[in-house]
Amino acid sequence: RPPLSLNQLVNKLLGCSLVLSVQAMYSASDDVIELTPSNFNREVIQSDSLWLVEFYAPWCGHCQNLAPDWKKAATALKGIVKVGAVDADQHKSLGGQYGVRGFPTIKIFGANKNKPEEYQGGRSSQAIVDGAMNALRSLVKDRLSGKAGGSSYSKQGGGSSSSGSKKDVVELTDDNFDKMVLESDDVWLVEFFAPWCGHCKNLEPEWAAAASAVKEQTKGRVRLGAVDATVHQVLASRYGIRGFPTIKIFRKGEEPEDYQGGRSRGDIIERAMDLFSDNAPPPELLEILSEDVLKKTCEDSQLCIIAVLPHILDTGASGRNSYLEVMIKMADKYKKKMWGWLWTEAGAQMELEASLGIGGFGYPAMAAINTRKMKFALLRGSFSETGIHEFLRELSVGRGSTATLGGGVMPKIHVVEPWDGKDGQLPVEEDYDLSDIDLDDDFEKDEL
């Protein structure tokens, strides 16, 4: 094979460096501390230091542009303010825990580590340093006035929950366990603990924080409970508890399973969300019958997938059902995303079609809408499992072209009757009896 020319070699090296920069935005040689669900609690939450944390995705262009300034700011702030980064594409539980919806997102973890503030400043190294120093001055001022006493998070062995409340951890006993856990349709993560156990005390704030987050994110379908195994020894004996803490997973009709994950709130939340997704039914596919249907479905979801199907006279019931079947399969495939799924008939919601620019692409058509940002993307491929999967996969990793919804507001939605599941029927034309009309006379009168 002939040797590479200088230009080819340069291009090859540039290509390699680009791949490396995307895969590993920060390295051990940087002053940026790489944060994960395993070390986030120890490094950030239990720290007395002020932290600036960037939540990024390796494929995100804005994140790649920010990286040099983020590293420069970290070096300038070394020993004064901690600067970290979370690959939120890989560690979705951490991003979800702090409401990260776009990249990059920067949070300031100050006096109250459980309620970080959104960084709203510029993205240059100087602006980041200025923002950090302003936050640091504010933190020191609060400490001087007695408003903040270092970390708001209880230290190891303190035994109180990070939020100051364990209200979302259900206290389970010999008396209520079967009814609450075994007879429930919900999934349960149950900690068996002993009050004197040091590891249990360390786990307590993580368990409490995870319980609140999981309850909110799963709408109560995954619950976290705790059993004092020194008091409720019937339960401890039944499940062979030999050490503390022991965590078990309970699903209705199945044998309990040992929890094998990490002990940070991020690890616990991530496992709970996986359990929720595994057990969750696919989202309901709804016909857009009114503004309420569209509003409720789309406002409760990060993305709303809307199909505009051909008129019933063009497809018949069997054709329409085949399209709906494809949508139901894709809704099930992407149920972990907890998106909303809707459909309407061509011509039923003309303003919606116009705002999405759907008319020019023919039917069936599909759009994904983010109502928070008033942005949408259109399916350009085939309306099939393969085509829709490719479309949604691109969206889920932040790729694909998007546009602003027409006018930047949700379009007018008409109240329509639901499809009855049957083939369409042409309107019946009335028969007119023309035998008693003298057409010639009429024409003569008209001409006169």
Side-chain angles (χ1 to χ4, degrees):
R1 195 169 61 176
L4 293 172
S5 70
L6 182 59
N7 281 343
Q8 288 173 320
L9 185 59
V10 169
N11 288 336
K12 197 174 181 71
L13 288 170
L14 282 172
C16 290
S17 67
L18 181 61
V19 169
L20 285 171
S21 70
V22 169
Q23 289 177 342
M25 205 170 289
Y26 302 105
S27 68
S29 62
D30 300 321
D31 292 313
V32 177
I33 299 165
E34 194 76 28
L35 298 166
T36 68
S38 301
N39 70 0
F40 196 88
N41 170 52
R42 181 180 70 253
E43 293 282 355
V44 180
I45 303 300
Q46 294 191 32
S47 166
D48 284 329
S49 300
L50 180 81
W51 276 83
L52 262 67
V53 178
E54 176 204 3
F55 294 83
Y56 72 92
W59 44 260
C60 156
H62 292 302
C63 304
Q64 292 165 27
N65 293 339
L66 173 64
D69 284 289
W70 197 246
K71 292 175 186 177
K72 197 172 174 183
T75 301
L77 292 166
K78 191 172 182 179
I80 305 165
V81 172
K82 298 283 186 75
V83 177
V86 175
D87 181 345
D89 190 46
Q90 181 181 353
H91 305 298
K92 292 183 174 63
S93 63
L94 268 181
Q97 186 176 336
Y98 293 107
V100 174
R101 291 199 163 80
F103 304 117
T105 292
I106 300 171
K107 302 265 185 184
I108 301 171
F109 290 78
N112 185 351
K113 294 293 198 294
N114 301 301
K115 289 187 178 177
E117 297 173 21
E118 195 94 12
Y119 170 78
Q120 305 286 4
R123 299 294 171 88
S124 69
S125 56
Q126 185 61 58
I128 294 163
V129 168
D130 289 344
M133 295 310 292
N134 286 337
L136 189 61
R137 273 191 287 271
S138 177
L139 175 63
V140 172
K141 193 175 177 182
D142 284 348
R143 286 183 183 174
L144 275 172
S145 64
K147 289 181 185 175
S151 170
S152 64
Y153 192 87
S154 60
K155 296 297 184 205
Q156 296 265 340
S160 63
S161 82
S162 63
S163 61
S165 168
K166 295 176 285 185
K167 62 183 174 59
D168 293 318
V169 176
V170 181
E171 186 181 348
L172 298 167
T173 68
D174 287 335
D175 296 328
N176 70 8
F177 190 89
D178 289 6
K179 183 175 177 58
M180 294 201 73
V181 178
L182 301 185
E183 296 174 18
S184 169
D185 291 326
D186 301 330
V187 179
W188 282 81
L189 277 78
V190 178
E191 175 205 2
F192 294 83
F193 71 93
W196 44 260
C197 155
H199 290 302
C200 303
K201 291 174 182 176
N202 293 342
L203 175 63
E204 187 178 342
E206 302 303 297
W207 198 247
S212 298
V214 169
K215 182 180 178 181
E216 181 181 349
Q217 292 180 39
T218 69
K219 307 288 192 293
R221 299 309 303 272
V222 178
R223 310 287 301 278
L224 270 65
V227 175
D228 183 342
T230 63
V231 174
H232 305 289
Q233 295 180 10
V234 173
L235 285 173
S237 175
R238 183 198 295 178
Y239 295 111
I241 305 303
R242 300 263 188 281
F244 306 112
T246 293
I247 302 171
K248 289 189 177 283
I249 299 165
F250 292 84
R251 286 179 271 204
K252 191 172 185 178
E254 297 182 25
E255 286 295 311
E257 169 192 342
D258 286 332
Y259 170 83
Q260 304 287 1
R263 300 292 173 89
S264 74
R265 67 188 68 186
D267 292 325
I268 297 162
I269 292 168
E270 188 169 17
R271 182 71 178 105
M273 294 309 294
D274 284 341
L275 288 166
F276 172 67
S277 300
D278 292 343
N279 288 271
E284 193 176 2
L285 175 58
L286 300 172
E287 185 179 3
I288 303 174
L289 302 175
S290 66
E291 185 179 355
D292 285 346
V293 173
L294 180 73
K295 199 170 179 183
K296 179 161 181 22
T297 304
C298 293
E299 285 185 355
D300 287 350
S301 311
Q302 186 180 8
L303 279 185
C304 218
I305 314 300
I306 298 177
V308 182
L309 303 182
H311 195 281
I312 192 64
L313 291 174
D314 295 328
T315 63
S318 62
R320 175 168 291 181
N321 282 326
S322 68
Y323 289 131
L324 294 175
E325 186 61 35
V326 169
M327 288 194 73
I328 289 167
K329 284 182 180 176
M330 299 315 296
D332 187 34
K333 188 179 189 72
Y334 283 87
K335 67 181 180 180
K336 288 188 179 183
K337 300 289 186 184
M338 298 174 73
W339 292 337
W341 292 77
L342 297 166
W343 72 275
T344 185
E345 180 179 79
Q349 304 292 350
M350 292 302 292
E351 287 89 343
L352 176 62
E353 290 187 44
S355 69
L356 297 170
I358 273 178
F361 293 95
Y363 307 107
M366 177 176 281
I369 302 178
N370 183 326
T371 55
R372 293 187 185 94
K373 297 182 178 179
M374 284 298 163
K375 297 278 189 182
F376 73 95
L378 286 176
L379 168 69
R380 305 285 181 174
S382 64
F383 197 99
S384 62
E385 288 182 48
T386 305
I388 295 172
H389 172 57
E390 186 64 27
F391 170 58
L392 297 179
R393 188 177 62 184
E394 290 288 299
L395 283 180
S396 63
V397 296
R399 299 195 188 103
S401 60
T402 60
T404 302
L405 205 62
V409 294
M410 290 302 286
K412 176 181 172 61
I413 299 297
H414 300 279
V415 176
V416 297
E417 290 296 314
W419 178 45
D420 59 8
K422 299 176 183 175
D423 288 325
Q425 290 185 333
L426 288 167
V428 178
E429 294 184 5
E430 295 184 30
D431 293 327
Y432 295 97
D433 184 3
L434 304 177
S435 61
D436 60 345
I437 298 176
D438 188 335
L439 295 177
D440 290 338
D441 287 348
D442 282 351
F443 282 126
E444 287 171 8
K445 289 172 185 172
D446 286 344
E447 287 178 7
L448 289 171

